[in-house]
Structures are given as C-alpha cells and as structure tokens.
Amino acid sequence: MATRVVFVHGACVRDGSWWWRRTAELLRERGVPSVAPELPSCGEAGQPVDADGPGLPEDVAAVRRLLLADNEPTVVVAHSYGGIVTAEAAAGIGSVRHLLLVSSYLPEVGQSLSDFGDDGPAPFLDVDPASGTFGVRPELLVDTFLQDCDPEDKEQAEHHLARQSVRVTAQPVGAAAWQQVPSTYLVCAQDGGTPPGRQRDFARRAGGIVELDAGHHPFLSRPAAVRDLLLSL
C-alpha cells in the first residue's frame, strides 16, 4: 500500500488540488495523503503563458522535484496530458511504485502529445496562434468533460480552466516511466473528450486495464471508485 499519491492534472486547467479534492478527501480518511503539483505551462508558476513561456520540460521538472522530495512509496495518478508529463518525470525514481493513467497517454521516448491526436485540434479546443496558447472552449466544458459531475462542480469548473502553452503538444518526452514501473490504465467509458475506443488503444501499453462508467473526470464524479482502485494498487 502506497504511503502517498501524487496527482498530475491534465491540459488547460489549473488548481490540480481542486480537481482532485473529492478523491483526496476519501484517501485522507484512509490515512493516505496526496498532493497535486503545479504545472508551469498552465501558468501555475507565475510565468507568462505564451509561445516563449514554460513548456513540457518545465512541467516535467516541477513534478520531478516533488517526487524526489520524498522517498515514501508513491502512486502517481496521471490525468490526460498528465501522462505525457509523468512519462518523463517519474522515470528512474525508486519511490514511484505504480502509475495510474486516467484517460491518458503512455508515450514512447521521442513521442509527443500531438502523436496521439488527429490532424487538427479537437472541436472543444480554442487555439490562438498569435499568443501561442490553447484552451478549452468554456461553452463546451460541461457537455464534453463534466456531464456526470455534481452541479456544484459543473458550476465551478470554468473558474479552474487555464490557457496553456501550445508548445507542450509538440515537445517529445525523454523517458518512458511506464516501461519501468507497473502501470494501470483507467478507461473512462463515458468520456466525451477522449473517445473510449481511443483510450482502449492507448491502454494496450499498460500492464493492467480497468474500465469505469464515468466521464473525463472520474476523480470528481466517481471518487469512491477511484479511491478503491488506488487502495488496491
């Protein structure tokens, strides 16, 4: 049983602890602490988010610093884009005992986020070439990503969106932690952002696959199920 959980949030959001809070509370009740590092490419380090701002290397460094700061056994939960960050950030760190990929990616060395997408941006994304940033279209947020969440979370989620440096989509990872560390993929069968069929394709690289009847954020909509899965790891 891991002593702590590290939650790495996805693209175009900030305040990972807000997205993670419902599962974090249930884990605390079982004596399991958790933490959600900030990602500079989403503006969480105070640096401007633009074409020249922080990208994937800075996100990797931020997560890696947190993982190295404590030698307690750790499970890393990587959500969506967080799987790209975690692939490099968790590599070669002995305290990391398991990776849980939630509607996420397991990139090979040299692959980037764009290798897992279609030719153009998804319809729920707003890409601004002038500023070098992209973000979720607020009017599509709930129907795409939060349809199974509580009304309170649906109402508050927009305030936790962020513009993100578009650089992260093309920057390749320099390591693939999932090749070294046991990994489990959580397929979100009602996800409107990453189709379940695509997730099942991505999941083939993982050591284990679990499927949950949930949308893109099961740690909000099905926190007890996510807690139980983590406790089983």
Side-chain angles (χ1 to χ4, degrees):
M1 169 70 228
T3 304
R4 67 167 181 167
V5 173
V6 172
F7 172 74
V8 184
H9 70 69
C12 304
V13 301
R14 57 181 176 83
D15 305 331
S17 57
W18 181 86
W19 298 92
W20 180 244
R21 73 193 191 287
R22 296 196 183 279
T23 298
E25 182 179 348
L26 297 181
L27 287 171
R28 269 197 306 273
E29 292 173 357
R30 298 294 184 90
V32 180
S34 60
V35 63
E38 298 179 332
L39 300 185
S41 75
C42 294
E44 294 185 293
Q47 298 167 269
V49 176
D50 54 33
D52 300 315
L56 177 62
E58 288 79 11
D59 290 348
V60 167
V63 174
R64 195 167 177 83
R65 276 195 302 272
L66 187 145
L67 292 175
L68 288 169
D70 196 319
N71 60 6
E72 290 182 318
T74 301
V75 171
V76 181
V77 178
H79 180 233
S80 197
Y81 161 73
I84 301 292
V85 179
T86 298
E88 185 168 344
I93 298 179
S95 59
V96 176
R97 304 297 172 84
H98 208 104
L99 307 178
L100 176 62
L101 291 300
V102 181
S103 189
S104 192
Y105 313 96
L106 294 89
E108 301 272 6
V109 174
Q111 284 191 307
S112 66
L113 181 61
S114 61
D115 289 317
F116 295 91
D118 297 319
D119 292 338
F124 52 78
L125 292 178
D126 166 46
V127 180
D128 179 10
S131 67
T133 67
F134 71 114
V136 173
R137 297 182 185 276
E139 68 274 15
L140 299 179
L141 172 65
V142 170
D143 288 347
T144 305
F145 296 110
L146 298 160
Q147 77 278 11
D148 60 338
C149 290
D150 289 348
E152 177 189 352
D153 290 335
K154 291 178 180 179
E155 184 178 340
Q156 294 181 6
E158 185 177 343
H159 302 297
H160 301 275
L161 292 179
R163 301 295 296 183
Q164 186 169 6
S165 170
V166 77
R167 297 172 65 203
V168 302
T169 62
Q171 292 175 313
V173 300
W178 57 271
Q179 295 175 339
Q180 312 161 359
V181 181
S183 59
T184 299
Y185 194 105
L186 177 56
V187 174
C188 300
Q190 300 300 324
D191 193 336
T194 306
R198 300 287 302 278
Q199 294 179 58
R200 294 179 189 114
D201 288 341
F202 302 157
R204 290 175 183 159
R205 290 179 173 178
I209 303 174
V210 176
E211 192 152 326
L212 191 60
D213 190 29
H216 192 67
H217 296 89
F219 36 86
L220 279 178
S221 63
R222 300 283 304 278
V226 176
R227 173 205 59 196
D228 292 344
L229 175 57
L230 282 165
L231 292 175
S232 77
L233 300 179

